[in-house]
Amino acid sequence: MIDHITLPKPLTTTPPTRNYGKLTQLSYATGPFWIILCHFGVILAFFTGLSWGAWLWVAFWYWLRMLGTTAIYHRLLTHKSYQANRWVKWIGSLITASAGQMGPSWWKAHHEAHHRFSDQPADPHSSVKGFWWAHYRWLISPNTFPTKLPADIERDLVMKLCDRLHFVPLIALGVFSYGVGGLEYLAAFFVSTTLLFHGVALVNSVCHKWGSQPFITTDHSRNNVLVAVLALGEGWHNLHHAFGWSVRHGITFDRGQVRYLPDFTYSFICLLERWGLASKLKQPSKDALQAAANR
Protein backbone atom coordinates (compact mmCIF):
# COMPACT_ATOMS: atom_id res chain seq x y z
CA MET A 1 0.00 0.00 0.00
CA ILE A 2 1.14 3.54 -0.78
CA ASP A 3 -0.03 6.57 1.18
CA HIS A 4 0.67 9.67 -0.86
CA ILE A 5 -1.04 11.59 -3.62
CA THR A 6 0.73 12.45 -6.87
CA LEU A 7 0.14 16.12 -7.75
CA PRO A 8 1.24 17.91 -10.94
CA LYS A 9 4.69 19.45 -10.86
CA PRO A 10 4.96 23.24 -11.16
CA LEU A 11 4.74 24.69 -14.65
CA THR A 12 8.14 25.57 -16.08
CA THR A 13 8.63 28.55 -18.36
CA THR A 14 11.36 27.19 -20.63
CA PRO A 15 10.45 23.97 -22.49
CA PRO A 16 13.30 21.50 -23.01
CA THR A 17 14.72 20.87 -26.49
CA ARG A 18 13.29 17.86 -28.37
CA ASN A 19 15.51 14.81 -27.97
CA TYR A 20 14.69 13.24 -31.35
CA GLY A 21 15.44 13.96 -34.99
CA LYS A 22 13.68 14.84 -38.25
CA LEU A 23 12.91 11.25 -39.27
CA THR A 24 11.11 10.66 -35.99
CA GLN A 25 9.17 13.89 -36.47
CA LEU A 26 8.19 12.70 -39.95
CA SER A 27 7.00 9.39 -38.50
CA TYR A 28 4.91 11.21 -35.89
CA ALA A 29 3.51 13.58 -38.52
CA THR A 30 1.83 10.63 -40.28
CA GLY A 31 -0.20 9.72 -37.18
CA PRO A 32 -3.19 12.03 -37.79
CA PHE A 33 -3.27 10.94 -41.46
CA TRP A 34 -3.91 7.29 -40.56
CA ILE A 35 -6.71 8.15 -38.13
CA ILE A 36 -8.36 10.48 -40.66
CA LEU A 37 -8.06 7.72 -43.29
CA CYS A 38 -9.84 5.28 -40.95
CA HIS A 39 -12.67 7.80 -40.46
CA PHE A 40 -13.16 8.04 -44.22
CA GLY A 41 -12.86 4.25 -44.43
CA VAL A 42 -16.03 3.95 -42.34
CA ILE A 43 -17.94 5.08 -45.47
CA LEU A 44 -17.03 1.73 -47.03
CA ALA A 45 -19.30 -0.02 -44.50
CA PHE A 46 -22.35 1.73 -45.98
CA PHE A 47 -21.64 0.01 -49.30
CA THR A 48 -20.58 -3.43 -48.04
CA GLY A 49 -22.90 -3.71 -45.05
CA LEU A 50 -21.68 -5.55 -41.97
CA SER A 51 -22.69 -9.12 -41.17
CA TRP A 52 -22.78 -10.54 -37.65
CA GLY A 53 -19.28 -11.89 -38.24
CA ALA A 54 -18.05 -8.45 -39.26
CA TRP A 55 -19.62 -6.87 -36.17
CA LEU A 56 -17.86 -9.46 -34.03
CA TRP A 57 -14.65 -8.45 -35.80
CA VAL A 58 -15.37 -4.82 -34.87
CA ALA A 59 -16.04 -5.71 -31.24
CA PHE A 60 -13.08 -8.07 -30.81
CA TRP A 61 -10.47 -5.67 -32.19
CA TYR A 62 -12.01 -2.75 -30.30
CA TRP A 63 -11.78 -4.70 -27.04
CA LEU A 64 -8.28 -6.13 -27.58
CA ARG A 65 -6.71 -2.88 -28.74
CA MET A 66 -8.45 -0.83 -26.08
CA LEU A 67 -7.06 -3.26 -23.52
CA GLY A 68 -3.59 -2.77 -25.01
CA THR A 69 -4.00 0.99 -24.62
CA THR A 70 -5.27 0.85 -21.05
CA ALA A 71 -3.31 -2.06 -19.55
CA ILE A 72 -0.01 -1.72 -21.46
CA TYR A 73 0.56 1.82 -22.75
CA HIS A 74 -1.19 3.51 -19.85
CA ARG A 75 -0.95 1.57 -16.61
CA LEU A 76 2.25 -0.41 -17.33
CA LEU A 77 4.55 1.68 -19.54
CA THR A 78 3.52 5.17 -18.49
CA HIS A 79 2.56 4.90 -14.82
CA LYS A 80 4.39 1.67 -13.92
CA SER A 81 1.48 0.71 -11.68
CA TYR A 82 2.60 -2.91 -12.01
CA GLN A 83 5.54 -4.81 -13.41
CA ALA A 84 5.68 -7.23 -16.33
CA ASN A 85 8.36 -8.89 -18.43
CA ARG A 86 9.54 -7.51 -21.76
CA TRP A 87 7.42 -9.91 -23.83
CA VAL A 88 4.24 -8.51 -22.30
CA LYS A 89 5.48 -4.99 -23.10
CA TRP A 90 6.49 -5.88 -26.66
CA ILE A 91 3.36 -7.79 -27.64
CA GLY A 92 1.12 -5.27 -25.90
CA SER A 93 2.85 -2.39 -27.71
CA LEU A 94 2.41 -4.03 -31.12
CA ILE A 95 -1.28 -4.64 -30.46
CA THR A 96 -1.78 -1.05 -29.28
CA ALA A 97 0.11 0.43 -32.24
CA SER A 98 -2.33 -1.44 -34.51
CA ALA A 99 -5.06 0.76 -32.99
CA GLY A 100 -3.58 3.92 -34.46
CA GLN A 101 -2.56 4.98 -30.93
CA MET A 102 0.96 5.77 -32.19
CA GLY A 103 4.04 4.21 -30.58
CA PRO A 104 4.93 3.72 -26.91
CA SER A 105 7.46 6.59 -26.70
CA TRP A 106 5.07 9.08 -28.30
CA TRP A 107 2.15 7.93 -26.13
CA LYS A 108 4.06 7.96 -22.86
CA ALA A 109 5.67 11.34 -23.55
CA HIS A 110 2.29 12.99 -24.11
CA HIS A 111 0.61 11.33 -21.17
CA GLU A 112 3.39 12.26 -18.76
CA ALA A 113 3.10 15.87 -19.93
CA HIS A 114 -0.68 15.68 -19.42
CA HIS A 115 -0.25 14.61 -15.80
CA ARG A 116 2.57 17.02 -15.07
CA PHE A 117 0.65 20.04 -16.38
CA SER A 118 -2.93 18.80 -16.25
CA ASP A 119 -5.33 21.53 -17.48
CA GLN A 120 -2.49 24.05 -17.51
CA PRO A 121 -1.14 25.71 -20.69
CA ALA A 122 1.62 23.11 -21.15
CA ASP A 123 -0.87 20.21 -21.06
CA PRO A 124 -0.86 18.97 -24.69
CA HIS A 125 -4.64 18.42 -24.62
CA SER A 126 -5.75 20.77 -21.86
CA SER A 127 -9.52 20.72 -21.41
CA VAL A 128 -9.38 24.45 -20.60
CA LYS A 129 -8.93 25.06 -24.35
CA GLY A 130 -12.28 23.46 -25.09
CA PHE A 131 -13.97 20.09 -25.51
CA TRP A 132 -12.96 19.50 -29.14
CA TRP A 133 -9.39 20.62 -28.53
CA ALA A 134 -9.05 17.97 -25.82
CA HIS A 135 -10.87 15.38 -27.92
CA TYR A 136 -8.96 15.61 -31.21
CA ARG A 137 -7.84 19.08 -32.33
CA TRP A 138 -4.60 18.93 -30.35
CA LEU A 139 -3.53 16.00 -32.56
CA ILE A 140 -3.69 18.09 -35.72
CA SER A 141 -1.70 20.92 -34.16
CA PRO A 142 2.03 21.27 -33.35
CA ASN A 143 1.16 19.64 -30.01
CA THR A 144 1.18 16.29 -31.80
CA PHE A 145 4.99 16.41 -31.51
CA PRO A 146 6.06 15.54 -27.94
CA THR A 147 8.66 17.71 -26.28
CA LYS A 148 10.82 14.93 -24.88
CA LEU A 149 10.72 11.16 -25.37
CA PRO A 150 10.96 8.87 -22.29
CA ALA A 151 14.43 7.43 -21.75
CA ASP A 152 13.25 4.02 -20.50
CA ILE A 153 11.24 3.28 -23.66
CA GLU A 154 13.99 4.65 -25.90
CA ARG A 155 16.51 2.23 -24.37
CA ASP A 156 14.42 -0.76 -25.48
CA LEU A 157 15.21 -1.37 -29.16
CA VAL A 158 12.01 -3.33 -29.87
CA MET A 159 9.73 -0.66 -28.41
CA LYS A 160 11.75 2.10 -30.07
CA LEU A 161 11.25 0.41 -33.45
CA CYS A 162 7.57 -0.07 -32.67
CA ASP A 163 7.38 3.64 -31.90
CA ARG A 164 9.05 4.83 -35.11
CA LEU A 165 7.18 2.29 -37.28
CA HIS A 166 3.89 2.71 -35.40
CA PHE A 167 1.90 2.65 -38.65
CA VAL A 168 3.13 -0.82 -39.70
CA PRO A 169 0.95 -2.83 -37.23
CA LEU A 170 -2.05 -0.65 -38.17
CA ILE A 171 -1.59 -1.28 -41.90
CA ALA A 172 -0.89 -4.97 -41.24
CA LEU A 173 -4.17 -5.37 -39.35
CA GLY A 174 -6.04 -3.67 -42.18
CA VAL A 175 -4.47 -6.03 -44.74
CA PHE A 176 -5.18 -9.02 -42.49
CA SER A 177 -8.81 -7.95 -42.13
CA TYR A 178 -9.15 -7.75 -45.91
CA GLY A 179 -7.57 -11.20 -46.24
CA VAL A 180 -10.05 -12.68 -43.77
CA GLY A 181 -13.25 -11.26 -45.23
CA GLY A 182 -12.60 -8.94 -48.16
CA LEU A 183 -13.94 -5.41 -48.30
CA GLU A 184 -16.57 -6.12 -45.64
CA TYR A 185 -13.95 -6.98 -43.02
CA LEU A 186 -11.74 -4.12 -44.15
CA ALA A 187 -14.72 -1.85 -43.49
CA ALA A 188 -15.13 -3.51 -40.08
CA PHE A 189 -11.47 -2.72 -39.36
CA PHE A 190 -12.09 0.96 -40.18
CA VAL A 191 -15.20 1.05 -37.98
CA SER A 192 -13.43 -0.62 -35.05
CA THR A 193 -10.39 1.68 -35.28
CA THR A 194 -12.51 4.82 -35.52
CA LEU A 195 -14.70 3.83 -32.57
CA LEU A 196 -11.60 3.01 -30.53
CA PHE A 197 -10.01 6.36 -31.32
CA HIS A 198 -13.05 8.17 -29.93
CA GLY A 199 -13.33 5.79 -26.97
CA VAL A 200 -9.81 6.76 -25.89
CA ALA A 201 -10.31 10.45 -26.73
CA LEU A 202 -13.40 10.60 -24.49
CA VAL A 203 -11.09 10.25 -21.49
CA ASN A 204 -9.36 13.51 -22.45
CA SER A 205 -12.55 15.42 -23.27
CA VAL A 206 -15.59 14.05 -21.42
CA CYS A 207 -13.68 13.03 -18.28
CA HIS A 208 -12.44 16.60 -17.81
CA LYS A 209 -15.94 18.07 -18.18
CA TRP A 210 -18.73 15.80 -16.91
CA GLY A 211 -18.85 13.47 -13.92
CA SER A 212 -18.13 13.24 -10.22
CA GLN A 213 -15.03 14.41 -8.34
CA PRO A 214 -14.80 12.20 -5.26
CA PHE A 215 -11.11 12.96 -4.74
CA ILE A 216 -9.12 16.18 -4.45
CA THR A 217 -7.01 17.05 -7.49
CA THR A 218 -5.60 20.26 -8.96
CA ASP A 219 -7.39 19.84 -12.31
CA HIS A 220 -10.85 19.16 -13.79
CA SER A 221 -10.61 15.35 -13.89
CA ARG A 222 -13.86 13.49 -13.25
CA ASN A 223 -15.21 9.98 -12.89
CA ASN A 224 -17.61 9.22 -15.75
CA VAL A 225 -19.59 5.97 -15.85
CA LEU A 226 -20.18 5.90 -19.62
CA VAL A 227 -16.50 6.40 -20.43
CA ALA A 228 -15.56 3.81 -17.81
CA VAL A 229 -17.63 1.27 -19.77
CA LEU A 230 -16.35 2.28 -23.21
CA ALA A 231 -12.71 2.56 -22.11
CA LEU A 232 -12.61 -0.52 -19.86
CA GLY A 233 -12.20 1.36 -16.58
CA GLU A 234 -10.30 4.44 -17.76
CA GLY A 235 -13.36 6.62 -17.17
CA TRP A 236 -12.70 6.60 -13.41
CA HIS A 237 -10.44 9.50 -14.24
CA ASN A 238 -10.65 11.58 -11.07
CA LEU A 239 -9.22 8.71 -9.01
CA HIS A 240 -6.51 8.32 -11.62
CA HIS A 241 -5.43 11.95 -11.31
CA ALA A 242 -5.44 11.72 -7.53
CA PHE A 243 -3.38 8.50 -7.53
CA GLY A 244 -1.75 8.26 -10.94
CA TRP A 245 0.32 5.23 -10.00
CA SER A 246 -2.68 3.14 -8.87
CA VAL A 247 -3.23 -0.02 -10.92
CA ARG A 248 -6.91 0.17 -10.00
CA HIS A 249 -8.88 3.16 -11.24
CA GLY A 250 -12.33 1.97 -10.21
CA ILE A 251 -12.45 3.53 -6.75
CA THR A 252 -14.72 6.24 -5.39
CA PHE A 253 -15.60 7.85 -2.06
CA ASP A 254 -19.30 7.83 -1.27
CA ARG A 255 -21.12 8.76 1.97
CA GLY A 256 -17.93 8.65 3.97
CA GLN A 257 -16.87 5.24 2.65
CA VAL A 258 -14.39 3.98 0.08
CA ARG A 259 -16.25 2.06 -2.62
CA TYR A 260 -14.82 -0.07 -5.42
CA LEU A 261 -16.20 0.14 -8.96
CA PRO A 262 -16.06 -2.17 -11.99
CA ASP A 263 -12.69 -1.82 -13.72
CA PHE A 264 -12.17 -4.34 -16.52
CA THR A 265 -8.55 -3.34 -17.12
CA TYR A 266 -7.72 -3.92 -13.47
CA SER A 267 -9.43 -7.33 -13.61
CA PHE A 268 -7.35 -8.21 -16.67
CA ILE A 269 -4.12 -7.18 -14.94
CA CYS A 270 -5.10 -9.34 -11.94
CA LEU A 271 -5.51 -12.22 -14.41
CA LEU A 272 -2.01 -11.52 -15.74
CA GLU A 273 -0.77 -11.64 -12.15
CA ARG A 274 -2.46 -15.01 -11.63
CA TRP A 275 -0.72 -16.31 -14.76
CA GLY A 276 2.65 -15.05 -13.52
CA LEU A 277 2.85 -12.30 -16.18
CA ALA A 278 2.38 -9.33 -13.84
CA SER A 279 3.62 -8.50 -10.36
CA LYS A 280 3.90 -5.73 -7.75
CA LEU A 281 0.49 -4.20 -8.36
CA LYS A 282 0.26 -0.77 -6.68
CA GLN A 283 -2.87 0.50 -4.93
CA PRO A 284 -3.52 3.30 -2.44
CA SER A 285 -4.48 2.27 1.08
CA LYS A 286 -7.92 3.06 2.48
CA ASP A 287 -6.34 5.64 4.78
CA ALA A 288 -4.79 7.42 1.79
CA LEU A 289 -8.12 7.34 -0.06
CA GLN A 290 -9.91 8.74 2.99
CA ALA A 291 -7.32 11.53 3.26
CA ALA A 292 -7.72 12.45 -0.41
CA ALA A 293 -11.52 12.42 -0.34
CA ASN A 294 -13.27 15.54 -1.62
CA ARG A 295 -15.59 16.32 1.28
Side-chain angles (χ1 to χ4, degrees):
M1 295 295 185
I2 302 175
D3 297 311
H4 66 275
I5 304 171
T6 303
L7 294 177
K9 296 179 181 178
L11 181 62
T12 56
T13 55
T14 306
T17 304
R18 289 193 178 101
N19 62 340
Y20 55 93
K22 296 293 185 182
L23 284 177
T24 299
Q25 290 184 47
L26 179 62
S27 170
Y28 291 166
T30 67
F33 166 78
W34 298 111
I35 289 299
I36 292 169
L37 177 65
C38 288
H39 278 70
F40 279 107
V42 171
I43 298 171
L44 181 62
F46 291 96
F47 294 93
T48 64
L50 295 178
S51 63
W52 282 109
W55 277 113
L56 287 174
W57 195 255
V58 170
F60 173 76
W61 285 108
Y62 177 95
W63 168 81
L64 183 64
R65 294 182 294 171
M66 180 65 82
L67 200 54
T69 306
T70 62
I72 306 301
Y73 269 19
H74 191 202
R75 304 193 196 188
L76 175 60
L77 298 183
T78 302
H79 291 287
K80 299 182 179 179
S81 57
Y82 68 100
Q83 293 185 12
N85 65 44
R86 60 185 181 180
W87 286 100
V88 172
K89 296 177 182 178
W90 291 348
I91 294 171
S93 294
L94 287 171
I95 290 171
T96 310
S98 75
Q101 286 293 313
M102 302 288 285
S105 287
W106 182 95
W107 207 97
K108 178 173 181 175
H110 277 305
H111 197 70
E112 284 187 330
H114 168 61
H115 275 269
R116 187 180 182 192
F117 307 116
S118 186
D119 290 329
Q120 298 178 48
D123 181 349
H125 44 77
S126 171
S127 66
V128 175
K129 294 183 179 181
F131 179 89
W132 293 113
W133 172 267
H135 194 77
Y136 79 91
R137 284 180 56 202
W138 72 277
L139 281 169
I140 52 175
S141 79
N143 281 23
T144 198
F145 299 103
T147 302
K148 187 176 182 180
L149 301 182
D152 60 331
I153 304 295
E154 292 293 286
R155 284 194 296 266
D156 188 305
L157 180 60
V158 173
M159 286 197 290
K160 186 174 180 178
L161 285 173
C162 180
D163 182 76
R164 304 310 193 266
L165 301 175
H166 59 87
F167 47 86
V168 173
L170 177 68
I171 295 171
L173 181 56
V175 172
F176 177 62
S177 298
Y178 179 79
V180 169
L183 288 176
E184 181 191 7
Y185 275 62
L186 178 61
F189 159 77
F190 287 135
V191 171
S192 180
T193 304
T194 300
L195 290 175
L196 190 142
F197 169 81
H198 289 288
V200 173
L202 288 173
V203 179
N204 297 335
S205 54
V206 169
C207 288
H208 279 258
K209 190 171 180 65
W210 294 294
S212 62
Q213 293 181 301
F215 298 102
I216 298 168
T217 63
T218 59
D219 53 35
H220 303 304
S221 58
R222 287 165 162 79
N223 283 353
N224 186 283
V225 177
L226 176 62
V227 181
V229 173
L230 295 176
L232 308 183
E234 298 292 283
W236 309 125
H237 202 53
N238 178 246
L239 178 283
H240 176 56
H241 273 262
F243 299 92
W245 41 263
S246 177
V247 72
R248 186 172 195 165
H249 293 187
I251 309 174
T252 191
F253 189 80
D254 183 38
R255 299 177 185 178
Q257 297 293 325
V258 173
R259 198 157 56 86
Y260 295 97
L261 305 166
D263 184 344
F264 187 87
T265 299
Y266 171 69
S267 299
F268 172 74
I269 294 169
C270 288
L271 187 62
L272 290 181
E273 183 184 38
R274 187 177 303 175
W275 290 341
L277 298 175
S279 62
K280 299 183 179 178
L281 279 60
K282 301 176 185 176
Q283 285 194 62
S285 67
K286 284 193 174 182
D287 287 343
L289 292 165
Q290 292 268 1
N294 186 0
R295 301 176 191 275

mmCIF file of all heavy atoms in Angstrom, residues 7-8 45 54 68 71 98 115 126-127 136 138 141 147 155 176 184 205 232 234 236 244 258 270 273 278:
data_model
loop_
_atom_site.group_PDB
_atom_site.id
_atom_site.type_symbol
_atom_site.label_atom_id
_atom_site.label_comp_id
_atom_site.label_asym_id
_atom_site.label_seq_id
_atom_site.Cartn_x
_atom_site.Cartn_y
_atom_site.Cartn_z
ATOM 1 N N LEU A 7 0.680 14.865 -7.230
ATOM 2 C CA LEU A 7 0.140 16.119 -7.748
ATOM 3 C C LEU A 7 1.005 16.612 -8.897
ATOM 4 O O LEU A 7 2.190 16.271 -8.995
ATOM 5 C CB LEU A 7 0.104 17.185 -6.636
ATOM 6 C CG LEU A 7 -0.855 16.902 -5.478
ATOM 7 C CD1 LEU A 7 -0.719 17.989 -4.428
ATOM 8 C CD2 LEU A 7 -2.297 16.812 -5.962
ATOM 9 N N PRO A 8 0.450 17.395 -9.816
ATOM 10 C CA PRO A 8 1.240 17.908 -10.936
ATOM 11 C C PRO A 8 2.426 18.737 -10.455
ATOM 12 O O PRO A 8 2.336 19.453 -9.459
ATOM 13 C CB PRO A 8 0.245 18.780 -11.700
ATOM 14 C CG PRO A 8 -1.102 18.295 -11.281
ATOM 15 C CD PRO A 8 -0.946 17.814 -9.879
ATOM 16 N N ALA A 45 -18.318 0.869 -45.148
ATOM 17 C CA ALA A 45 -19.296 -0.018 -44.500
ATOM 18 C C ALA A 45 -20.715 0.220 -45.012
ATOM 19 O O ALA A 45 -21.546 -0.692 -44.997
ATOM 20 C CB ALA A 45 -19.246 0.168 -42.986
ATOM 21 N N ALA A 54 -18.798 -9.697 -39.158
ATOM 22 C CA ALA A 54 -18.052 -8.454 -39.256
ATOM 23 C C ALA A 54 -18.208 -7.612 -37.994
ATOM 24 O O ALA A 54 -17.252 -6.979 -37.532
ATOM 25 C CB ALA A 54 -18.512 -7.659 -40.478
ATOM 26 N N GLY A 68 -5.000 -3.087 -24.830
ATOM 27 C CA GLY A 68 -3.588 -2.771 -25.008
ATOM 28 C C GLY A 68 -3.285 -1.336 -24.602
ATOM 29 O O GLY A 68 -2.275 -1.053 -23.952
ATOM 30 N N ALA A 71 -4.116 -1.204 -20.439
ATOM 31 C CA ALA A 71 -3.308 -2.058 -19.553
ATOM 32 C C ALA A 71 -1.818 -1.944 -19.828
ATOM 33 O O ALA A 71 -1.001 -2.055 -18.902
ATOM 34 C CB ALA A 71 -3.747 -3.514 -19.681
ATOM 35 N N SER A 98 -1.386 -1.088 -33.448
ATOM 36 C CA SER A 98 -2.329 -1.441 -34.510
ATOM 37 C C SER A 98 -3.671 -0.730 -34.346
ATOM 38 O O SER A 98 -4.529 -0.810 -35.221
ATOM 39 C CB SER A 98 -2.551 -2.964 -34.544
ATOM 40 O OG SER A 98 -3.383 -3.380 -33.481
ATOM 41 N N HIS A 115 -0.165 14.693 -17.251
ATOM 42 C CA HIS A 115 -0.252 14.613 -15.797
ATOM 43 C C HIS A 115 0.586 15.695 -15.117
ATOM 44 O O HIS A 115 0.182 16.225 -14.085
ATOM 45 C CB HIS A 115 0.195 13.227 -15.313
ATOM 46 C CG HIS A 115 -0.904 12.226 -15.336
ATOM 47 N ND1 HIS A 115 -1.733 11.993 -14.262
ATOM 48 C CD2 HIS A 115 -1.346 11.410 -16.328
ATOM 49 C CE1 HIS A 115 -2.627 11.069 -14.580
ATOM 50 N NE2 HIS A 115 -2.409 10.707 -15.827
ATOM 51 N N SER A 126 -5.066 20.140 -22.991
ATOM 52 C CA SER A 126 -5.749 20.766 -21.862
ATOM 53 C C SER A 126 -7.225 20.981 -22.149
ATOM 54 O O SER A 126 -7.597 21.565 -23.177
ATOM 55 C CB SER A 126 -5.085 22.101 -21.545
ATOM 56 O OG SER A 126 -5.840 22.818 -20.589
ATOM 57 N N SER A 127 -8.076 20.551 -21.231
ATOM 58 C CA SER A 127 -9.521 20.718 -21.406
ATOM 59 C C SER A 127 -9.938 22.179 -21.304
ATOM 60 O O SER A 127 -11.031 22.551 -21.733
ATOM 61 C CB SER A 127 -10.267 19.892 -20.364
ATOM 62 O OG SER A 127 -10.040 20.388 -19.049
ATOM 63 N N TYR A 136 -9.751 15.977 -30.028
ATOM 64 C CA TYR A 136 -8.959 15.612 -31.215
ATOM 65 C C TYR A 136 -8.121 16.743 -31.819
ATOM 66 O O TYR A 136 -7.099 16.478 -32.462
ATOM 67 C CB TYR A 136 -9.878 15.055 -32.309
ATOM 68 C CG TYR A 136 -10.619 16.123 -33.091
ATOM 69 C CD1 TYR A 136 -10.072 16.671 -34.252
ATOM 70 C CD2 TYR A 136 -11.856 16.598 -32.668
ATOM 71 C CE1 TYR A 136 -10.736 17.661 -34.959
ATOM 72 C CE2 TYR A 136 -12.521 17.577 -33.366
ATOM 73 C CZ TYR A 136 -11.962 18.108 -34.512
ATOM 74 O OH TYR A 136 -12.613 19.087 -35.204
ATOM 75 N N TRP A 138 -6.006 18.833 -30.747
ATOM 76 C CA TRP A 138 -4.599 18.927 -30.354
ATOM 77 C C TRP A 138 -3.715 18.025 -31.217
ATOM 78 O O TRP A 138 -2.536 18.325 -31.439
ATOM 79 C CB TRP A 138 -4.440 18.576 -28.879
ATOM 80 C CG TRP A 138 -4.613 17.118 -28.561
ATOM 81 C CD1 TRP A 138 -5.781 16.443 -28.370
ATOM 82 C CD2 TRP A 138 -3.565 16.147 -28.411
ATOM 83 N NE1 TRP A 138 -5.531 15.120 -28.110
ATOM 84 C CE2 TRP A 138 -4.185 14.910 -28.116
ATOM 85 C CE3 TRP A 138 -2.169 16.212 -28.485
ATOM 86 C CZ2 TRP A 138 -3.459 13.740 -27.921
ATOM 87 C CZ3 TRP A 138 -1.431 15.046 -28.274
ATOM 88 C CH2 TRP A 138 -2.090 13.834 -27.985
ATOM 89 N N SER A 141 -2.409 19.678 -34.465
ATOM 90 C CA SER A 141 -1.705 20.923 -34.164
ATOM 91 C C SER A 141 -0.239 20.574 -33.889
ATOM 92 O O SER A 141 0.126 19.392 -33.834
ATOM 93 C CB SER A 141 -2.325 21.586 -32.926
ATOM 94 O OG SER A 141 -1.866 20.950 -31.745
ATOM 95 N N THR A 147 7.464 16.904 -26.570
ATOM 96 C CA THR A 147 8.658 17.707 -26.276
ATOM 97 C C THR A 147 9.877 16.832 -26.024
ATOM 98 O O THR A 147 10.959 17.095 -26.553
ATOM 99 C CB THR A 147 8.394 18.593 -25.045
ATOM 100 O OG1 THR A 147 7.265 19.422 -25.306
ATOM 101 C CG2 THR A 147 9.601 19.473 -24.747
ATOM 102 N N ARG A 155 15.411 3.191 -24.564
ATOM 103 C CA ARG A 155 16.508 2.227 -24.370
ATOM 104 C C ARG A 155 16.156 0.833 -24.859
ATOM 105 O O ARG A 155 17.042 -0.001 -25.049
ATOM 106 C CB ARG A 155 16.893 2.165 -22.883
ATOM 107 C CG ARG A 155 17.705 3.360 -22.397
ATOM 108 C CD ARG A 155 18.327 3.090 -21.047
ATOM 109 N NE ARG A 155 17.311 2.903 -20.022
ATOM 110 C CZ ARG A 155 16.849 3.875 -19.231
ATOM 111 N NH1 ARG A 155 17.320 5.108 -19.377
ATOM 112 N NH2 ARG A 155 15.932 3.645 -18.312
ATOM 113 N N PHE A 176 -4.705 -7.737 -43.038
ATOM 114 C CA PHE A 176 -5.175 -9.016 -42.492
ATOM 115 C C PHE A 176 -6.704 -9.087 -42.502
ATOM 116 O O PHE A 176 -7.284 -10.119 -42.851
ATOM 117 C CB PHE A 176 -4.641 -9.192 -41.071
ATOM 118 C CG PHE A 176 -5.107 -10.441 -40.387
ATOM 119 C CD1 PHE A 176 -4.788 -11.697 -40.882
ATOM 120 C CD2 PHE A 176 -5.874 -10.375 -39.225
ATOM 121 C CE1 PHE A 176 -5.220 -12.860 -40.243
ATOM 122 C CE2 PHE A 176 -6.307 -11.514 -38.587
ATOM 123 C CZ PHE A 176 -5.979 -12.764 -39.100
ATOM 124 N N GLU A 184 -15.692 -6.232 -46.811
ATOM 125 C CA GLU A 184 -16.568 -6.118 -45.638
ATOM 126 C C GLU A 184 -15.753 -6.084 -44.352
ATOM 127 O O GLU A 184 -16.011 -5.262 -43.468
ATOM 128 C CB GLU A 184 -17.557 -7.284 -45.601
ATOM 129 C CG GLU A 184 -18.503 -7.218 -44.415
ATOM 130 C CD GLU A 184 -19.309 -8.499 -44.215
ATOM 131 O OE1 GLU A 184 -19.042 -9.488 -44.922
ATOM 132 O OE2 GLU A 184 -20.183 -8.494 -43.332
ATOM 133 N N SER A 205 -11.541 14.364 -23.111
ATOM 134 C CA SER A 205 -12.551 15.415 -23.267
ATOM 135 C C SER A 205 -13.667 15.288 -22.238
ATOM 136 O O SER A 205 -13.812 16.143 -21.348
ATOM 137 C CB SER A 205 -13.119 15.370 -24.685
ATOM 138 O OG SER A 205 -13.617 14.074 -25.016
ATOM 139 N N LEU A 232 -13.025 0.609 -20.698
ATOM 140 C CA LEU A 232 -12.610 -0.522 -19.858
ATOM 141 C C LEU A 232 -12.020 -0.100 -18.509
ATOM 142 O O LEU A 232 -11.043 -0.666 -18.037
ATOM 143 C CB LEU A 232 -11.606 -1.411 -20.606
ATOM 144 C CG LEU A 232 -12.027 -1.880 -22.009
ATOM 145 C CD1 LEU A 232 -10.983 -2.816 -22.601
ATOM 146 C CD2 LEU A 232 -13.387 -2.547 -21.987
ATOM 147 N N GLU A 234 -11.062 3.192 -17.722
ATOM 148 C CA GLU A 234 -10.299 4.443 -17.756
ATOM 149 C C GLU A 234 -11.158 5.660 -17.413
ATOM 150 O O GLU A 234 -10.630 6.734 -17.112
ATOM 151 C CB GLU A 234 -9.669 4.641 -19.140
ATOM 152 C CG GLU A 234 -8.671 3.573 -19.526
ATOM 153 C CD GLU A 234 -7.411 3.616 -18.674
ATOM 154 O OE1 GLU A 234 -6.562 4.478 -18.908
ATOM 155 O OE2 GLU A 234 -7.289 2.768 -17.779
ATOM 156 N N TRP A 236 -12.817 6.207 -14.824
ATOM 157 C CA TRP A 236 -12.704 6.600 -13.407
ATOM 158 C C TRP A 236 -11.481 7.509 -13.303
ATOM 159 O O TRP A 236 -10.484 7.198 -12.672
ATOM 160 C CB TRP A 236 -12.577 5.367 -12.520
ATOM 161 C CG TRP A 236 -13.626 4.314 -12.767
ATOM 162 C CD1 TRP A 236 -13.407 2.995 -13.061
ATOM 163 C CD2 TRP A 236 -15.050 4.469 -12.724
ATOM 164 N NE1 TRP A 236 -14.590 2.333 -13.215
ATOM 165 C CE2 TRP A 236 -15.625 3.205 -13.014
ATOM 166 C CE3 TRP A 236 -15.900 5.546 -12.482
ATOM 167 C CZ2 TRP A 236 -17.004 2.996 -13.062
ATOM 168 C CZ3 TRP A 236 -17.276 5.342 -12.540
ATOM 169 C CH2 TRP A 236 -17.812 4.078 -12.818
ATOM 170 N N GLY A 244 -2.118 8.652 -9.581
ATOM 171 C CA GLY A 244 -1.746 8.263 -10.935
ATOM 172 C C GLY A 244 -1.079 6.914 -11.043
ATOM 173 O O GLY A 244 -1.166 6.251 -12.073
ATOM 174 N N VAL A 258 -15.060 4.354 1.317
ATOM 175 C CA VAL A 258 -14.386 3.978 0.076
ATOM 176 C C VAL A 258 -15.198 2.877 -0.594
ATOM 177 O O VAL A 258 -15.597 1.905 0.061
ATOM 178 C CB VAL A 258 -12.953 3.493 0.356
ATOM 179 C CG1 VAL A 258 -12.307 2.942 -0.910
ATOM 180 C CG2 VAL A 258 -12.117 4.622 0.940
ATOM 181 N N CYS A 270 -5.086 -8.317 -12.999
ATOM 182 C CA CYS A 270 -5.102 -9.336 -11.939
ATOM 183 C C CYS A 270 -4.997 -10.736 -12.540
ATOM 184 O O CYS A 270 -4.357 -11.629 -11.958
ATOM 185 C CB CYS A 270 -6.376 -9.213 -11.109
ATOM 186 S SG CYS A 270 -6.414 -7.769 -10.023
ATOM 187 N N GLU A 273 -1.483 -11.317 -13.375
ATOM 188 C CA GLU A 273 -0.766 -11.638 -12.148
ATOM 189 C C GLU A 273 -0.955 -13.105 -11.787
ATOM 190 O O GLU A 273 0.004 -13.792 -11.409
ATOM 191 C CB GLU A 273 -1.249 -10.741 -11.012
ATOM 192 C CG GLU A 273 -0.506 -10.964 -9.701
ATOM 193 C CD GLU A 273 -1.065 -10.132 -8.568
ATOM 194 O OE1 GLU A 273 -2.308 -9.971 -8.497
ATOM 195 O OE2 GLU A 273 -0.282 -9.647 -7.737
ATOM 196 N N ALA A 278 2.371 -10.654 -14.459
ATOM 197 C CA ALA A 278 2.375 -9.325 -13.844
ATOM 198 C C ALA A 278 2.675 -9.474 -12.357
ATOM 199 O O ALA A 278 2.368 -10.504 -11.750
ATOM 200 C CB ALA A 278 1.033 -8.625 -14.056
#
